[in-house]
Each structure stands twice: as structure tokens, then as C-alpha cells.
Amino acid sequence: MRITVTVNGQPYTREVEPRLLLVHFLRDELGLTGTHWGCDTSNCGVCTVQLDGVPVKSCTVLAVMADGREVTTVEGLERDGELDAVQKGFVECHGLQCGFCTPGMLLTARWLLDRNPDPDEGQIREAISGQLCRCTGYENIVRSIRWAADASHSQEARQ
Amino acid sequence: MQVPAKFEYERADSVPHALQLLERYGPEARIVAGGHSLIPMMKLRLAQPEALIDINGLASELGRIAVEGDELAIGALVRHAELLDDVTATDLFPIFRDAERVIADPIVRHRGTVGGSLCQGDPSEDLSAVFAALRATAVIQGPGGTRTVPVRQFHQGPYETAVEPNELLIQLRVPITPGTGSAYEKVERRVGDWPVAAAGAVITVSDGVIAQAGIGLTAVGAEHFCAPEAEQHLIGRAPGEEVFAEAGRIAAEHCEPHSDQRGPADYKRHLAAELTRRALARANRNVPGSATV
């Protein structure tokens, strides 16, 4: 089946089997290996990407379901060579150790801040509750997302 | 790497089109929406449908939540996250807020649908007990038109529902009764898991006594996910801790939990009583105008 999926703003047309999962479409067909592939059972959340702006676990979405729609992966967060505020937050607050969960965490963090620019700690923990950090580095992940919220505010204040 | 077996894939562009596709592919076809029950089963080869009919494009027909007369209508394609975010639905029926907050996790809730949950018919699925407690009606469309089935007759056994192979669940309708409070209580082993046991309660208080009661039980082998004997005990009595505790005891007596990796049967029976009691007490507290708030 021929599908066209817009990934990080660029349309890609490919011939795929209906049973191909979105995570493998991104990694194997498009070579976008920033999206990680973990438990394969929609539990761990490392494969989280945004589908039309909403975080989904791409191991449990068929690539054909993304036909005609927009996908954002971690490769699409950077703008004009500048990291997104959530990426900067993870750098500043040591939000990653092994980095396996990081791409999925970043995409959920971006979605959360787009919806709620000033989340409290409880709201951040709730938002990432479907994603596992195998290093158990949750404290710093929460701090990183909070850092991004504060950085975005101070940037707005300067403008 | 888990890969589903091969299947034909069709995308429906309307409800009548979905029904035509069901006719064309026959009983081995499956409707897919969120896919968060079906796709994992296909990856494990526990399910091998010959065709998938994708209804994700039918949001304008099946994705609405609206008050229609004295009922709340919830489209089958409403995502869990959308129900949780719908203030009209969760203010009318706090049981939706309680239950949706503990169904899977926020990312899964972006995909999984209300109709899919009911049609999966998993004995541990939370919304089946919620809609049973609410005495909701399922609207099912087939080649001959639409028909309605009380949710209390919707489930015919584990993974079996009243929806025929050539039919589609399109909507749930929940009666809105003034003076009604509702709540859901769940015990799970870890965040986002299926329940060890759970209970939902809906009570309508009129002139200081319970005029109507609905109790839904999840994962404890309650027939049709409800507890009619316990409901009967409540009718005509003034709401109170003693009455709720007795209803919990009756509910636990009439369910049939099984021991499994989530816990032994006697523990689940204990939970059925205790969670029913707690859900009733909270439902009573959120009856509009309740003096016990």
C-alpha cells in the first residue's frame, strides 16, 4: 500500500505492508533512528512520537494509520540549528543518563508545555507516567521539563 | 520483534462504508480504531484477522460527546483522553473522571477509544463496569439500521458482546437523572495496570432516600459487570456508612473472582466489598447539594 506521511515537516511516500508498525517505518524505512524501540507492548513509551501533535506509542500504531498525517520525532524538535527548550532543559538538569527513554520523554514534554506552559510537578509526573526511565532518573527529568517551562517564560518576558 | 500476521487493510470513510466493508470481508474482519487492545493481540498472534477496517477517519460521525435531551451521548470513537478532558461529561458523572484517570496511561489514552474498550469485552476492562453502573444504552448500527442494547446485556461473556460481525457499536447513551452522584475506586498493582479489582457506584438520592442505585464491578467475575442484589439493598434506604458497607458485603458475596497473578480470590472478594463501600460513600458525597460534602 502506498502511503505519504509528513515527518518533521517533510513528506515521505513509501510502499509499505499494512502490518508495518509506525516505529519500524520511521526507523527502517526513513532511517530516523532517534525514535527508540523498547518493550514492543505499548508499556515502556520509549517509541513515543507525536501524531498530529499528540503523543502516541508508535509500536502500537500501524504506519498506514499515519497516511496523510503529520508525525514529529525527536529529530524534528530542533529549529534552525537551535535545540528546543525541552532539549536544553535535559542538558541543563542532567535529564538523561543512558538516553534510551529521552526521545519519547522530550516529545511528551513538548506536548505538555504546548498545552500547559506552566505545569506543576504533579502535572509533569502525570504527563510522563506512561513512560519508563530504566535509569530511574525521574527526578531530573521532572526538573528538566520544569526548567524548560521557566526558560520559555523568561524568554517571553524578554520579548 | 513482534509482527502481526498479514491482513487486508481498508479505511472506512463513513459508517455505511464501514458496514459495507464488514459485509464484504465477513466475520474474520475486525474494526480497528485506537488499536491498543487489538494490535498487541495481533503482534502476539493471539488475533489474526483477515482484514482490518480502520474507522479512525470517522471522528465527525462517531467522535462527539453531547447532551441530547435527558441523556449524555458519547460516540464510540471518543478517545479516553477526550472523555477525561470533557468537563460536561465529568461534571455530570465524576465516575468518568475517576475511571479514565486510571485506565492505562496518558499516552495510551490518546489512542484508545470508549467503544473499543467496550467491544474488547475484557473482564478486567474498567469502562464496562462504569457504563453498567450508569445503566447506559449501547447504540449498534447494522445493515438493517440501528438498534439499542442496555449495556447490562451488552457483554455476553469474556471477549463476547452483543455486536454481530456485520454490525458496529456507534454510541453510548447515559441517562441524566437529577440528584445523582457517582464514583469509581480501583486497586491496581502498579500505575496504569489492569485492576486487581474495581468498583463503580452511581446513586440517586430523592427526599433523603436512595431512589436508584447502580454498582459496577470489574475483574471479580460479576455477571454483566454489575451487582443487582447489592443495588436492591440500597433502594428506599437513607444513604449512610452502614447501608453502604452492607451493600459492599452483598456485592462481594455474589461475585465470582478467580485467583491469578493479580491476587488470590479471597483478596479480590475483600476488595469487591471494600471498594463498593468506598465508591458508594464518595458517590453520595458528590450528589449535587449533598449535605455531607
Side-chain angles (χ1 to χ4, degrees):
Chain A
M1 180 174 178
R2 181 175 289 268
I3 61 170
T4 300
V5 185
T6 300
V7 182
N8 302 327
Q10 187 182 334
Y12 295 89
T13 300
R14 294 286 188 279
E15 192 69 38
V16 302
E17 272 193 285
R19 60 178 172 167
L20 181 69
L21 296 159
L22 181 58
V23 64
H24 301 306
F25 176 78
L26 295 169
R27 290 176 57 85
D28 303 340
E29 296 288 325
L30 306 187
L32 294 170
T33 53
T35 301
H36 292 164
W37 171 45
C39 72
D40 220 355
T41 59
S42 74
N43 279 288
C44 79
V46 305
C47 64
T48 298
V49 300
Q50 289 184 3
L51 180 61
D52 287 343
V54 175
V56 300
K57 296 184 178 181
S58 63
C59 76
T60 310
V61 176
L62 300 170
V64 289
M65 289 173 162
D67 185 23
R69 303 178 66 181
E70 293 195 11
V71 173
T72 304
T73 70
V74 68
E75 290 93 340
L77 283 176
E78 185 183 312
R79 285 272 177 277
D80 304 322
E82 189 175 347
L83 293 178
D84 187 280
V86 293
Q87 293 173 302
K88 289 180 188 168
F90 274 63
V91 172
E92 290 297 325
C93 301
H94 192 51
L96 62 148
Q97 293 178 51
C98 84
F100 193 57
C101 72
T102 311
M105 290 287 185
L106 291 170
L107 286 153
T108 299
R110 182 70 270 151
W111 169 83
L112 172 67
L113 296 181
D114 286 345
R115 243 169 86 104
N116 175 5
D118 190 23
D120 62 28
E121 183 182 331
Q123 289 166 325
I124 294 172
R125 287 184 183 274
E126 168 71 16
I128 62 168
S129 62
Q131 288 158 278
L132 300 178
C133 167
R134 62 187 183 183
C135 310
T136 71
Y138 298 104
E139 290 290 336
N140 284 354
I141 291 170
V142 172
R143 276 188 208 120
S144 303
I145 297 171
R146 198 44 248 177
W147 185 97
D150 290 336
S152 304
H153 287 158
S154 53
Q155 195 172 25
E156 274 168 26
R158 280 198 302 274
Q159 281 171 353
Chain B
M1 180 169 166
Q2 299 176 10
V3 182
K6 287 192 177 189
F7 55 85
E8 301 286 321
Y9 174 81
E10 296 275 3
R11 204 173 286 146
D13 54 30
S14 66
V15 170
H17 185 219
L19 295 174
Q20 280 168 21
L21 291 167
L22 282 171
E23 287 288 343
R24 188 195 307 166
Y25 285 97
E28 292 308 310
R30 287 290 175 276
I31 295 287
V32 68
H36 273 56
S37 297
L38 182 56
I39 293 174
M41 287 176 76
M42 290 171 65
K43 289 169 75 173
L44 293 167
R45 308 281 175 119
L46 294 172
Q48 298 197 21
E50 287 171 10
L52 283 190
I53 298 164
D54 185 343
I55 59 165
N56 279 295
L58 307 188
S60 61
E61 283 174 273
L62 303 182
R64 289 176 61 244
I65 301 175
V67 174
E68 296 176 357
D70 57 359
E71 290 181 313
L72 179 71
I74 302 172
L77 194 60
V78 168
R79 313 277 169 184
H80 291 295
E82 292 170 339
L83 181 54
L84 180 57
D85 285 349
D86 191 286
V87 179
T88 302
T90 55
D91 279 357
L92 275 171
F93 302 108
I95 191 171
F96 285 134
R97 184 183 298 123
D98 292 350
E100 285 293 3
R101 286 200 72 233
V102 290
I103 290 175
D105 63 58
I107 316 282
V108 169
R109 293 199 292 265
H110 285 147
R111 289 296 288 171
T113 64
V114 170
S117 291
L118 263 80
C119 288
Q120 177 70 9
D122 189 306
S124 299
E125 198 282 309
D126 297 286
L127 286 189
S128 298
V130 169
F131 283 106
L134 289 166
R135 288 191 163 77
T137 304
V139 183
I140 298 168
Q141 192 165 335
T146 61
R147 64 189 179 102
T148 58
V149 175
V151 165
R152 291 180 171 215
Q153 291 161 30
F154 185 81
H155 292 97
Q156 306 190 330
Y159 308 102
E160 273 181 51
T161 74
V163 182
E164 298 293 335
N166 61 353
E167 293 182 318
L168 184 66
L169 172 66
I170 58 169
Q171 195 183 64
L172 281 311
R173 300 185 73 86
V174 185
I176 301 170
T177 312
T180 297
S182 61
Y184 193 71
E185 292 277 344
K186 171 170 166 175
V187 167
E188 52 195 352
R189 291 175 303 172
R190 55 178 180 270
V191 169
D193 198 5
W194 299 95
V196 178
V202 181
I203 58 169
T204 304
V205 179
S206 176
D207 296 330
V209 296
I210 299 168
Q212 198 179 50
I215 296 173
L217 294 173
T218 309
V220 290
E223 203 174 352
H224 301 302
F225 294 91
C226 51
E229 297 85 0
E231 291 164 352
Q232 198 50 48
H233 176 76
L234 294 165
I235 302 300
R237 289 190 158 84
E241 275 301 322
E242 262 310 301
V243 171
F244 296 152
E246 181 59 19
R249 277 192 289 275
I250 296 169
E253 206 174 291
H254 285 84
C255 64
E256 287 290 338
H258 294 288
S259 298
D260 60 15
Q261 79 277 16
R262 292 198 175 88
D266 58 349
Y267 173 53
K268 294 183 184 184
R269 200 181 288 282
H270 164 77
L271 285 179
E274 178 59 19
L275 298 179
T276 297
R277 185 191 69 76
R278 290 183 199 172
L280 282 166
R282 276 208 307 117
N284 183 46
R285 283 198 293 276
N286 68 35
V287 169
S290 165
T292 52
V293 170

